[in-house]
Amino acid sequence: MKIIDLTHKISPDMPVYPGTEGPIFAPANSYEKDGFKETLLTMFTHTGTHMDPPKHLFESCKTLDDFPITHFVAKAVVIDCSNLGEGDKITMAHLRKKMELVEQAEWLLFRTGWDQYWGEQKYFGDYPTIDAEVAEYIAKTNKKGVGLDVIGLDPIADVNLTLHKIVLANNYTVIVENLKNLQLLGEEIFTLCAMPLHLQEADGSPIRAFAIVE
């Protein structure tokens, strides 16, 4: 059994979505003054490797704390789309290459390889995204979640968040963005653990995501 970390580290100088601020790590207590160290952490709920629930876009829908913890531990499979270039679309043809596993999986993770650009300006560029048909498939089949190794489910220029709305409208599926290391997960089903903080009325949360591969 192998455990593979899929999470980018949270740090003050990490990449964040354009228009938001990075995390702030402020000294709160010190060894010299208080005998222990503690840090005041300030950050957005959609920082780093994070999860979007339906409530992120739809006021009457579920927050993360509305879901049972079993929603975040599930069978998953990686769809390899690393051959795609800037602005290319992930289509149902990518899913059909391994449809038997796609149908078994509760979570679908799309590997574009874009995590190699983490920390570079290109990471915020014209990365590959799923198309509307794939988004509709995910929503209609009630997958527990969808994850990608890019900064957004939608193209960064789509301020309407069209694909987010398609996926989240079923009030069941969640979205994870900014994954890494998907190339290490192989071609078969594995166990995904994608654990958000247990925040009240959470419109999103940084997560610690990892895979258990037999």
Side-chain angles (χ1 to χ4, degrees), residues 111-179:
R111 178 198 167 208
T112 70
W114 226 250
D115 56 324
Q116 68 183 299
Y117 304 120
W118 180 258
E120 301 178 19
Q121 186 58 39
K122 186 172 181 177
Y123 194 73
F124 302 100
D126 202 9
Y127 45 81
T129 61
I130 63 173
D131 67 8
E133 186 180 9
V134 172
E136 289 166 359
Y137 170 82
I138 292 167
K140 288 178 181 178
T141 55
N142 284 326
K143 296 300 183 185
K144 286 184 175 181
V146 54
L148 307 93
D149 55 1
V150 296
I151 201 166
L153 185 73
D154 287 276
I156 205 159
D158 185 1
V159 296
N160 188 52
L161 300 177
T162 305
L163 299 171
H164 274 74
K165 289 177 179 176
I166 294 172
V167 170
L168 298 177
N170 66 6
N171 201 25
Y172 183 75
T173 305
V174 297
I175 299 167
V176 169
E177 296 160 332
N178 296 321
L179 290 164

Side-chain angles (χ1 to χ4, degrees), residues 1-212:
M1 181 181 74
K2 294 190 295 184
I3 297 178
I4 299 171
D5 194 356
L6 309 179
T7 315
H8 289 287
K9 184 180 292 186
I10 293 174
S11 64
D13 58 350
M14 68 185 295
V16 294
Y17 201 85
T20 63
E21 298 177 4
I24 300 172
F25 287 61
N29 298 95
S30 68
Y31 301 118
E32 296 78 14
K33 181 180 177 182
D34 307 289
F36 62 92
K37 182 178 180 181
E38 189 172 14
T39 301
L40 175 62
L41 174 60
T42 304
M43 64 181 178
F44 284 77
T45 50
H46 297 259
T47 296
T49 306
H50 70 275
M51 185 178 291
D52 299 351
K55 185 78 168 186
H56 182 42
L57 293 187
F58 299 108
E59 185 175 359
S60 62
C61 287
K62 290 181 180 178
T63 58
L64 287 177
D65 49 314
D66 288 328
F67 288 94
I69 198 168
T70 51
H71 200 90
F72 311 125
V73 181
K75 295 186 297 182
V77 70
V78 170
I79 311 300
D80 187 359
C81 310
S82 58
N83 63 321
L84 296 180
E86 295 186 44
D88 287 344
K89 294 296 181 183
I90 299 165
T91 69
M92 286 300 298
H94 292 91
L95 276 64
R96 292 189 187 104
K97 291 178 182 179
K98 54 195 315 181
M99 185 55 77
E100 183 177 347
L101 294 179
V102 166
E103 290 176 344
Q104 293 177 34
E106 300 166 286
W107 278 71
L108 301 182
L109 305 185
F110 294 96
R111 178 198 167 208
T112 70
W114 226 250
D115 56 324
Q116 68 183 299
Y117 304 120
W118 180 258
E120 301 178 19
Q121 186 58 39
K122 186 172 181 177
Y123 194 73
F124 302 100
D126 202 9
Y127 45 81
T129 61
I130 63 173
D131 67 8
E133 186 180 9
V134 172
E136 289 166 359
Y137 170 82
I138 292 167
K140 288 178 181 178
T141 55
N142 284 326
K143 296 300 183 185
K144 286 184 175 181
V146 54
L148 307 93
D149 55 1
V150 296
I151 201 166
L153 185 73
D154 287 276
I156 205 159
D158 185 1
V159 296
N160 188 52
L161 300 177
T162 305
L163 299 171
H164 274 74
K165 289 177 179 176
I166 294 172
V167 170
L168 298 177
N170 66 6
N171 201 25
Y172 183 75
T173 305
V174 297
I175 299 167
V176 169
E177 296 160 332
N178 296 321
L179 290 164
K180 71 172 188 177
N181 290 336
L182 299 185
Q183 77 279 6
L184 302 178
L185 300 181
E187 297 295 326
E188 302 301 320
I189 296 283
F190 58 91
T191 300
L192 173 70
C193 301
M195 310 307 294
L197 297 174
H198 199 33
L199 304 173
Q200 182 175 333
E201 298 182 3
D203 57 77
S205 173
I207 65 170
R208 189 65 183 263
F210 61 93
I212 302 173

